[in-house]
């Protein structure tokens, strides 16, 4: 968003800014078409570039895994639809990378030659590039609220295991009213009550089953991967 020459960026907790766009899978109305699903809206700097190619191959290979967690993927760059189609065809027909080959990108890739969407989402960061989007990742929940934003510079390919971890951690926090500690992975202990609530954790929690308190403000409980899977992968 650009108001009075001040560039503002969507923030965590904001409703995802609305737009209609042409994509490799037809027209989309964002975020309305995605209500009821999680969606990751991500930008890449340019088609026919190597880092972006490795990212698309990785994301496309993991699409099914994200879908099982009720999460859809939507890509964007400031290239045209013709460029997108040619690049995705090249990826499928010619590129083999780290055991991935014949990779078909089935999720929509937005054409944004006017940079309208990229500017709305703070994806154009002129200190890095005024003609290409940075590698932005927006996690948007089923109600259309932005829940996490991660930005990477042009030179740095994203870690897709981390993006998946973020998605599952957000869903776990919602489903169980907990927070997740540093480097948390499903099956690790979670934090109760969730971070940000009053610091009365120890007295409320002590003595309860599967709860461990480190101090008055810091208690954890066991939460098995099975319990998480049962709730998230219904
Ligand atoms: C790449 O994806 O390889 C790339 C794109 C833009 C700038 C630098 C690298």
């Amino acid at each position: 968003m650009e108001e009075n020459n001040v560039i503002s960026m969507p923030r965590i907790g904001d409703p995802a800014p609305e737009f209609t766009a042409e994509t490799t899978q037809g027209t989309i109305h964002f975020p309305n078409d995605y209500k009821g699903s999680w969606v990751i809206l991500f930008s890449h700097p340019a088609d026919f570039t190597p880092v972006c190619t490795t990212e698309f191959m990785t994301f496309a290979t993991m699409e099914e895994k994200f879908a099982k967690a009720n999460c859809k993927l939507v890509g964007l760059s400031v290239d045209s639809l013709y460029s997108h189609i040619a690049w995705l065809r090249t990826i499928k027909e010619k590129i083999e990378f780290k055991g991935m080959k014949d990779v078909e990108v089935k999720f929509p890739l937005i054409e944004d030659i006017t940079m309208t969407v990229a500017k709305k989402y703070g994806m154009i960061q002129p200190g890095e590039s005024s003609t290409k989007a940075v590698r932005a990742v927006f996690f948007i929940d089923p109600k259309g609220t932005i829940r996490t934003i991660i930005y990477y510079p042009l030179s740095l390919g994203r870690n897709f295991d981390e993006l998946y971890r973020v998605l599952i951690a957000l869903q776990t926090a919602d489903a169980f009213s907990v927070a997740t500690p540093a480097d948390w992975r499903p099956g690790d202990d979670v934090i109760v009550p969730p971070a940000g609530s009053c610091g009365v954790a120890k007295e409320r929690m002590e003595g309860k089953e599967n709860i461990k308190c480190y101090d008055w403000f810091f208690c954890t409980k066991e939460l098995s991967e099975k319990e998480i899977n049962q709730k998230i992968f219904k």
Side-chain angles (χ1 to χ4, degrees):
M1 280 172 274
E2 200 169 340
E3 279 163 15
N4 303 328
N5 288 332
V6 178
I7 296 174
S8 67
M9 319 248 282
R11 290 160 298 192
I12 292 174
D14 286 352
E18 292 180 5
F19 63 84
T20 295
E22 296 310 317
T23 82
T24 49
Q25 305 292 326
T27 308
I28 60 168
H29 305 280
F30 198 92
N32 281 355
D33 290 351
Y34 294 88
K35 289 269 163 76
S37 292
W38 285 79
V39 55
I40 295 179
L41 173 67
F42 69 101
S43 56
H44 71 277
D47 298 346
F48 291 102
T49 53
V51 178
C52 302
T53 298
T54 62
E55 290 190 320
F56 264 68
M57 293 180 78
T58 308
F59 234 165
T61 304
M62 292 174 76
E63 185 181 7
E64 192 65 34
K65 187 171 171 174
F66 280 88
K68 283 186 180 144
N70 188 29
C71 181
K72 295 179 175 160
L73 310 175
V74 179
L76 174 149
S77 81
V78 302
D79 298 291
S80 70
L81 210 47
Y82 300 105
S83 167
H84 286 342
I85 290 165
W87 179 48
L88 298 187
R89 189 186 303 141
T90 302
I91 287 176
K92 178 164 168 49
E93 291 177 358
K94 294 198 184 150
I95 310 289
E96 185 171 345
F97 176 73
K98 281 197 172 171
M100 296 179 283
K101 65 174 184 181
D102 195 24
V103 173
E104 191 171 349
V105 174
K106 295 181 185 147
F107 56 81
L109 174 49
I110 294 168
E111 87 160 350
D112 191 29
I113 35 184
T114 59
M115 298 191 186
T116 311
V117 180
K119 284 183 178 165
K120 239 182 193 184
Y121 274 81
M123 293 165 172
I124 304 296
Q125 303 196 0
E128 180 73 346
S129 171
S130 50
T131 56
K132 295 177 175 66
V134 295
R135 300 179 199 280
V137 190
F138 288 82
F139 294 76
I140 296 161
D141 73 15
K143 290 183 179 151
T145 302
I146 296 171
R147 299 291 300 278
T148 298
I149 306 171
I150 310 178
Y151 291 108
Y152 298 74
L154 302 189
S155 63
L156 177 58
R158 286 162 274 214
N159 181 316
F160 290 84
D161 290 332
E162 168 63 2
L163 301 187
Y164 184 74
R165 190 190 76 91
V166 169
L167 176 72
I168 300 302
L170 289 168
Q171 294 187 358
T172 299
D174 285 359
F176 297 93
S177 297
V178 296
T180 48
D183 294 332
W184 177 86
R185 296 209 158 264
D188 292 349
D189 291 356
V190 293
I191 291 173
V192 286
S197 53
C198 295
V200 290
K202 198 169 187 227
E203 64 211 48
R204 272 174 55 193
M205 297 296 163
E206 245 173 6
K208 287 191 186 163
E209 228 179 303
N210 299 331
I211 302 256
K212 178 177 178 186
C213 286
Y214 296 82
D215 204 336
W216 60 269
F217 64 96
F218 180 9
C219 297
T220 61
K221 75 168 182 182
E222 291 172 14
L223 181 60
S224 71
E225 192 167 3
K226 191 173 164 201
E227 283 173 274
I228 294 171
N229 289 348
Q230 278 169 348
K231 211 133 190 196
I232 289 177
F233 306 109
K234 284 178 229 145

